[in-house]
Amino acid sequence: MDDDFEFPTASNKDDEMDVPEDDPISPILEVGEEKEIGKNGLKKKLVKEGEGWETPSAGDEVEVHYTGTLPDGTKFDSSRDSGTPFKFKLGQGQVIKGWDEGIKTMKKGENAIFTIPPELAYGESGSPPTIPPNATLQFDVELLSWTSVEDICKDGGIFKKILVEGEKWENPQDLDEVFVKYEACLEDGTLVSKSEGVEFTVGDGYFCPALAKAVKTMKKGEKVLLTVKPQYAFGENGRPAIGDEGAIPPNATLQITLELVSWKTISDVTKDKKVLKKILKEGEGYDRPSDGTMVQVKLIGKLHDGTIFVKKGYEEEPFEFKIEEEQVIDGVDRSVKTMKKGEVALITIQPEYAFGTTESQQELAVVPANSTVYYEVEMVSFVKEKESWELNSQEKIEAAGKKKEAGNVLFKTGKYKRASKRYEKAVNFIDYDSTFSDEEKQQAKLLKVTCSLNNAACKLKLKDYKEAEELCTKVLELDSKNVKALYRRAQAYIHLAEFEVAEVDIKRALEIDPDNRDVRAVYKLLKEKVREYNKKDAQFYGSIFAKMSKLEQAKARKQQAARMAIKSKA
């Protein structure tokens, strides 16, 4: 641009010329056609069509060539004369309002002439000595390119410009530990903070709030330039100098160059933050173990002070165990189901999923009561159980039978939740029997009925009455005269306070088996529950009626007192 004319920023304009809140309508134009943009008198004439369909957005850094003229044709400025394109951030009030509104309707390579009324240019004051007051201006603009800038928080507080693209597609989350490099400067270029490598948990943040918010949008290896407004930096108070780091004035906007070097993924295995798994080394492929899988691992268990209490799989063969068989503590059992072959992870396990409230003698040391423990686990290999679709008809029936027997063993020892899973797995093996022979269908039906009834018993023990009711209903669809299904569904209905349907099931069961003691016992329980329920109802409504009666009596006394007072005055 010419030395005697500097393109005015927002500070040169009247206060009413802020960036518009509403986007102008982007007109569809033919070459040589002119149309009005928005409702403020801005006009656009297309000289040359651009490429593609994308247009820049607020916050993007655009690069243009332009020539500005007055209505009489007098040229007052031109980037073309100097040969240097003009760059600015769109929608940030760095240029006149007409430019912000017009250029965001342009495509890359497009050339257009904008006729800008004074209200969207320099207004009543003009820009002496070049532009007179109340001047309508014409700009011949070519949009050369732009760099997209993301408004991370959608409030203009943090703009992110990508300098180096990252790898893959994953982004860090709040629990993850990220390793970053950064350099923070004031707008005038003064360096205030720098690190060639620092690690922090995303949710905890570091330096200023903007870093944590930005890394959650970044990929591994990505490098960005952040423009950070005060609300995501150090606010109205600023920050004094700390050690080698410079002072940050109140209400300062920062320019931060940030590189996400790497991160360690930390997952909340139990969804209550009591078992956290940090991946130290990524595994292979996508496959992971499931319930019943035989896994081979190397593991070391440590206390908070570093004392090793167990070490397995390092001397000779890897340590082998089957998932969901209580061969390791619950926290390890759950965590290995999330691991891939070759993965190495550090697992932090709170007492509820470790050794609980009692002291426990382990292989190499005693684990005190209420201890949080730390396991480093390497998944060497695993062999999953065959899925239903991998088995022939007879193999499915055999697999279902084994799961049923395993469930029975667990039920007898009071492990109802685990038993329930075995029964569910058994039914899954034989749920689709279209390829079964007639004999196999009968075997499958019997297994379905038995497993569903046993699972309903588990659900009753676990106080999951709705599930118990649904399982019994499925059995009755297969065998409408199944007394156990009617009996257990009635139990579920009683707990759900659905007494009428419970009685229907009980009476139906007694019609089929009049001497069944269990059914008679539950009928007696039902009658007691109904009596209790009716008694509570009577007490509840009796209490309401008593209160109403007292209110009526009090009202009557007040009315009597009022009448007596009137007679006394008379």
Side-chain angles (χ1 to χ4, degrees):
M1 280 183 277
D2 296 340
D3 293 338
D4 63 345
F5 185 87
E6 184 175 344
F7 206 93
T9 62
S11 61
N12 298 108
K13 296 173 285 174
D14 296 334
D15 292 339
E16 70 269 20
M17 295 189 186
D18 291 336
V19 180
E21 291 183 359
D22 298 323
D23 285 346
I25 298 169
S26 183
I28 299 172
L29 298 173
E30 299 291 335
V31 173
E33 186 180 4
E34 184 177 55
K35 283 187 180 179
E36 186 172 341
I37 298 174
K39 298 178 181 179
N40 297 315
L42 175 64
K43 293 180 180 179
K44 174 182 175 182
K45 181 178 180 180
L46 185 62
V47 177
K48 186 183 83 171
E49 289 185 348
E51 305 167 10
W53 54 272
E54 292 180 316
T55 56
S57 302
D60 290 355
E61 186 175 85
V62 298
E63 184 178 43
V64 300
H65 264 314
Y66 71 93
T67 300
T69 58
L70 298 176
D72 63 4
T74 302
K75 180 169 68 175
F76 56 83
D77 190 30
S78 176
S79 65
R80 295 182 175 97
D81 290 348
S82 63
T84 303
F86 176 53
K87 295 180 181 180
F88 69 98
K89 286 185 180 176
L90 190 64
Q92 301 300 295
Q94 295 180 356
V95 292
I96 58 174
K97 192 174 180 181
W99 269 46
D100 271 335
E101 286 196 11
I103 290 175
K104 67 178 175 181
T105 70
M106 300 180 72
K107 302 179 181 72
K108 183 180 178 182
E110 183 179 318
N111 187 188
I113 295 173
F114 293 99
T115 301
I116 305 176
E119 294 79 13
L120 302 181
Y122 299 97
E124 295 179 358
S125 58
S127 182
T130 316
I131 299 174
N134 295 311
T136 295
L137 306 178
Q138 275 200 339
F139 283 93
D140 183 333
V141 180
E142 181 183 3
L143 179 57
L144 303 174
S145 65
W146 73 86
T147 304
S148 289
V149 177
E150 181 184 356
D151 183 355
I152 291 176
C153 301
K154 308 304 180 190
D155 60 1
I158 307 172
F159 285 107
K160 183 184 87 169
K161 176 182 176 182
I162 296 175
L163 304 177
V164 178
E165 291 284 350
E167 306 169 9
K168 299 183 180 178
W169 53 270
E170 299 101 330
N171 308 118
Q173 302 301 314
D174 282 334
L175 291 173
D176 296 344
E177 292 179 359
V178 294
F179 184 76
V180 304
K181 297 178 182 179
Y182 76 92
E183 187 175 288
C185 299
L186 301 178
E187 286 185 291
D188 63 5
T190 303
L191 181 67
V192 291
S193 182
K194 181 179 180 179
S195 175
E196 287 302 320
V198 63
E199 189 172 63
F200 66 92
T201 300
V202 175
D204 295 340
Y206 188 80
F207 180 60
C208 71
L211 259 62
K213 291 187 178 293
V215 294
K216 288 170 71 173
T217 71
M218 296 172 68
K219 305 180 184 77
K220 182 181 176 182
E222 186 174 317
K223 188 174 182 180
V224 301
L225 175 63
L226 304 176
T227 301
V228 183
K229 295 295 175 67
Q231 65 265 36
Y232 294 105
F234 293 90
E236 59 185 17
N237 296 322
R239 191 198 72 173
I242 302 173
D244 296 334
E245 297 194 345
I248 298 171
N251 296 310
T253 294
L254 300 179
Q255 297 286 323
I256 302 176
T257 303
L258 176 65
E259 180 182 355
L260 177 56
V261 179
S262 63
W263 79 83
K264 294 170 185 170
T265 301
I266 298 179
S267 53
D268 183 359
V269 175
T270 50
K271 308 305 179 189
D272 58 7
K273 297 186 178 178
K274 292 184 177 179
V275 179
L276 299 178
K277 186 191 78 167
K278 181 199 295 187
I279 297 176
L280 304 179
K281 179 189 168 190
E282 289 286 348
E284 307 167 9
Y286 299 96
D287 205 16
R288 293 178 175 87
S290 55
D291 290 346
T293 298
M294 186 66 73
V295 299
Q296 291 186 321
V297 302
K298 295 179 181 179
L299 64 80
I300 298 175
K302 297 180 183 179
L303 300 176
H304 185 68
D305 63 3
T307 301
I308 296 174
F309 60 84
V310 66
K311 183 175 182 180
K312 293 186 176 182
Y314 284 89
E315 299 301 325
E316 296 176 0
E317 296 294 317
F319 172 52
E320 188 173 77
F321 68 94
K322 186 178 267 193
I323 293 174
E324 276 284 312
E325 293 294 336
E326 295 187 342
Q327 295 172 8
V328 293
I329 61 171
D330 193 22
V332 171
D333 218 20
R334 290 170 182 251
S335 298
V336 295
K337 288 200 294 184
T338 70
M339 297 179 69
K340 301 172 188 172
K341 182 181 177 182
E343 181 178 320
V344 179
L346 177 64
I347 307 166
T348 303
I349 307 172
Q350 293 194 20
E352 293 91 329
Y353 297 94
F355 299 96
T357 57
T358 56
E359 182 178 279
S360 179
Q361 176 65 55
Q362 292 298 299
E363 185 180 288
L364 302 175
V366 173
V367 176
N370 298 307
S371 291
T372 295
V373 292
Y374 307 86
Y375 279 80
E376 185 172 311
V377 180
E378 179 183 349
M379 177 65 77
V380 178
S381 66
F382 56 87
V383 179
K384 294 176 74 171
E385 287 186 328
K386 285 186 175 181
E387 297 293 337
S388 176
W389 56 270
E390 298 176 286
L391 305 175
N392 62 37
S393 300
Q394 197 54 45
E395 287 173 336
K396 288 178 182 178
I397 291 169
E398 289 173 7
K402 287 178 182 177
K403 288 294 177 186
K404 185 199 80 171
E405 294 305 319
N408 292 348
V409 171
L410 290 166
F411 187 90
K412 287 172 185 175
T413 56
K415 296 167 183 174
Y416 305 119
K417 196 169 183 180
R418 291 180 59 210
S420 174
K421 286 185 177 181
R422 298 298 187 278
Y423 295 132
E424 285 172 6
K425 185 75 172 176
V427 172
N428 287 341
F429 276 122
I430 53 175
D431 220 10
Y432 302 101
D433 56 6
S434 58
T435 61
F436 288 9
S437 67
D438 290 341
E439 184 183 348
E440 287 168 341
K441 283 181 180 178
Q442 282 301 111
Q443 290 176 303
K445 179 181 175 181
L446 182 60
L447 277 168
K448 281 181 190 177
V449 167
T450 305
C451 290
S452 295
L453 283 172
N454 291 356
N455 198 5
C458 292
K459 298 299 183 183
L460 288 170
K461 293 286 188 182
L462 295 167
K463 298 183 179 180
D464 191 347
Y465 303 119
K466 190 64 184 169
E467 279 285 324
E469 179 259 314
E470 289 173 1
L471 285 162
C472 292
T473 299
K474 286 180 180 178
V475 170
L476 290 166
E477 288 170 359
L478 295 170
D479 178 6
S480 61
K481 294 184 178 181
N482 192 293
V483 173
K484 276 189 179 179
L486 290 166
Y487 163 67
R488 286 180 184 157
R489 190 166 74 170
Q491 286 181 296
Y493 281 143
I494 289 170
H495 285 291
L496 293 167
E498 297 181 25
F499 301 134
E500 290 182 7
V501 285
E503 187 173 20
V504 170
D505 276 356
I506 290 169
K507 286 181 175 179
R508 191 171 164 204
L510 289 173
E511 285 174 9
I512 300 165
D513 186 0
D515 299 323
N516 192 299
R517 290 184 181 180
D518 290 334
V519 178
R520 288 187 172 279
V522 84
Y523 200 7
K524 184 179 179 182
L525 174 66
L526 172 64
K527 289 174 180 178
E528 289 172 2
K529 289 285 184 183
V530 170
R531 277 196 296 271
E532 286 176 18
Y533 193 79
N534 290 338
K535 186 178 179 181
K536 285 179 182 177
D537 263 8
Q539 289 174 343
F540 175 73
Y541 288 112
S543 174
I544 290 176
F545 291 141
K547 286 179 181 177
M548 288 173 66
S549 178
K550 286 179 182 179
L551 287 170
E552 289 294 329
Q553 290 173 12
K555 186 177 178 183
R557 284 196 295 271
K558 285 182 181 179
Q559 289 173 343
Q560 180 66 23
R563 284 195 294 271
M564 291 292 289
I566 291 168
K567 287 179 180 179
S568 175
K569 286 179 182 178

